[in-house]
Amino acid sequence: MSEHEDGENDTGTVVKSKPKTKRPPLYKVLLLNDDYTPMEFVVHILERFFGMSSAQAFDIMLTVHKKGVAVVGVFSHEIAETKVAQVMDFSRRHQHPLQCTMEKE
Protein backbone atom coordinates (compact mmCIF):
# COMPACT_ATOMS: atom_id res chain seq x y z
CA MET A 1 0.00 0.00 0.00
CA SER A 2 1.41 3.38 -0.90
CA GLU A 3 1.47 6.35 1.46
CA HIS A 4 -0.96 8.18 -0.75
CA GLU A 5 -3.62 5.50 -0.55
CA ASP A 6 -3.85 5.41 3.23
CA GLY A 7 -4.19 9.19 3.47
CA GLU A 8 -1.18 9.97 5.65
CA ASN A 9 0.46 12.32 3.21
CA ASP A 10 -2.66 14.07 1.96
CA THR A 11 -2.18 17.77 2.43
CA GLY A 12 -5.35 19.77 2.32
CA THR A 13 -6.02 23.27 3.48
CA VAL A 14 -9.20 23.97 5.33
CA VAL A 15 -10.29 27.52 4.74
CA LYS A 16 -12.85 28.93 7.08
CA SER A 17 -14.49 32.02 5.78
CA LYS A 18 -15.80 34.44 8.33
CA PRO A 19 -19.32 35.56 7.61
CA LYS A 20 -19.44 39.28 7.07
CA THR A 21 -21.60 40.83 9.71
CA LYS A 22 -23.29 44.10 9.08
CA ARG A 23 -23.77 46.70 11.76
CA PRO A 24 -27.44 47.22 12.56
CA PRO A 25 -28.92 50.39 11.11
CA LEU A 26 -29.03 53.38 13.42
CA TYR A 27 -31.98 55.65 14.04
CA LYS A 28 -32.09 59.33 14.90
CA VAL A 29 -34.41 60.34 17.72
CA LEU A 30 -35.96 63.73 16.96
CA LEU A 31 -37.68 66.18 19.28
CA LEU A 32 -40.27 68.46 17.65
CA ASN A 33 -41.20 71.96 18.72
CA ASP A 34 -44.68 72.96 19.79
CA ASP A 35 -46.13 76.16 21.20
CA TYR A 36 -47.31 74.68 24.49
CA THR A 37 -44.62 72.55 26.14
CA PRO A 38 -42.54 74.65 28.55
CA MET A 39 -38.84 74.97 27.77
CA GLU A 40 -37.95 73.76 31.26
CA PHE A 41 -39.89 70.54 30.65
CA VAL A 42 -37.95 69.90 27.43
CA VAL A 43 -34.66 70.44 29.28
CA HIS A 44 -35.83 67.98 31.95
CA ILE A 45 -36.70 65.39 29.26
CA LEU A 46 -33.25 65.72 27.68
CA GLU A 47 -31.47 65.35 31.01
CA ARG A 48 -33.62 62.46 32.23
CA PHE A 49 -33.96 60.28 29.13
CA PHE A 50 -30.86 61.21 27.12
CA GLY A 51 -28.34 61.74 29.93
CA MET A 52 -27.44 65.26 28.87
CA SER A 53 -25.90 67.85 31.13
CA SER A 54 -27.94 70.96 31.88
CA ALA A 55 -25.89 72.98 29.39
CA GLN A 56 -26.25 70.39 26.61
CA ALA A 57 -29.97 70.04 27.27
CA PHE A 58 -30.44 73.82 27.20
CA ASP A 59 -28.59 74.12 23.86
CA ILE A 60 -30.65 71.33 22.27
CA MET A 61 -33.87 72.82 23.65
CA LEU A 62 -32.99 76.16 22.01
CA THR A 63 -32.31 74.38 18.72
CA VAL A 64 -35.71 72.69 18.91
CA HIS A 65 -37.33 76.04 19.75
CA LYS A 66 -35.63 77.96 16.93
CA LYS A 67 -35.49 75.36 14.15
CA GLY A 68 -38.58 73.35 15.02
CA VAL A 69 -36.73 70.04 15.34
CA ALA A 70 -33.44 68.64 16.65
CA VAL A 71 -31.70 65.28 16.75
CA VAL A 72 -31.34 64.33 20.40
CA GLY A 73 -29.55 61.02 19.89
CA VAL A 74 -28.67 58.20 17.52
CA PHE A 75 -29.41 54.64 18.63
CA SER A 76 -30.17 51.12 17.48
CA HIS A 77 -33.80 50.55 16.49
CA GLU A 78 -34.87 49.03 19.81
CA ILE A 79 -33.26 51.72 21.95
CA ALA A 80 -34.57 54.54 19.74
CA GLU A 81 -38.06 53.05 19.91
CA THR A 82 -37.84 52.84 23.70
CA LYS A 83 -36.61 56.44 24.03
CA VAL A 84 -39.46 57.72 21.86
CA ALA A 85 -42.02 55.76 23.90
CA GLN A 86 -40.55 57.00 27.21
CA VAL A 87 -40.61 60.64 26.11
CA MET A 88 -44.12 60.41 24.69
CA ASP A 89 -45.48 58.63 27.76
CA PHE A 90 -43.80 61.03 30.20
CA SER A 91 -45.06 64.04 28.22
CA ARG A 92 -48.64 62.74 28.15
CA ARG A 93 -48.60 61.98 31.88
CA HIS A 94 -47.59 65.60 32.46
CA GLN A 95 -50.21 66.83 29.98
CA HIS A 96 -47.78 68.24 27.41
CA PRO A 97 -48.15 67.77 23.64
CA LEU A 98 -44.40 67.29 23.09
CA GLN A 99 -43.69 65.08 20.05
CA CYS A 100 -40.74 62.72 19.72
CA THR A 101 -40.10 60.63 16.61
CA MET A 102 -37.41 58.48 15.06
CA GLU A 103 -36.08 58.04 11.55
CA LYS A 104 -33.42 55.92 9.93
CA GLU A 105 -30.03 57.62 9.83
Side-chain angles (χ1 to χ4, degrees):
M1 198 192 277
S2 75
E3 288 181 18
H4 189 273
E5 288 175 356
D6 64 10
E8 287 180 3
N9 280 346
D10 286 349
T11 56
T13 305
V14 176
V15 178
K16 288 186 179 180
S17 62
K18 287 187 177 181
K20 292 188 178 185
T21 56
K22 231 200 257 186
R23 288 186 165 259
L26 296 176
Y27 291 80
K28 297 185 283 189
V29 175
L30 307 164
L31 213 50
L32 308 174
N33 188 43
D34 64 70
D35 294 331
Y36 304 102
T37 304
M39 292 178 177
E40 298 80 20
F41 185 78
V42 175
V43 169
H44 179 69
I45 289 278
L46 294 169
E47 291 171 346
R48 179 173 179 157
F49 297 109
F50 298 95
M52 294 184 187
S53 68
S54 295
Q56 288 174 313
F58 188 79
D59 287 344
I60 296 288
M61 177 275 298
L62 283 179
T63 301
V64 172
H65 182 68
K66 291 177 183 175
K67 294 186 177 181
V69 65
V71 175
V72 296
V74 179
F75 308 96
S76 68
H77 185 268
E78 293 79 14
I79 293 173
E81 207 171 46
T82 300
K83 297 277 186 193
V84 168
Q86 287 174 328
V87 169
M88 296 294 288
D89 182 55
F90 191 77
S91 297
R92 297 301 160 266
R93 282 188 285 136
H94 289 84
Q95 299 176 345
H96 294 298
L98 185 64
Q99 293 293 305
C100 187
T101 62
M102 61 188 260
E103 66 182 36
K104 203 168 190 176
E105 188 175 47

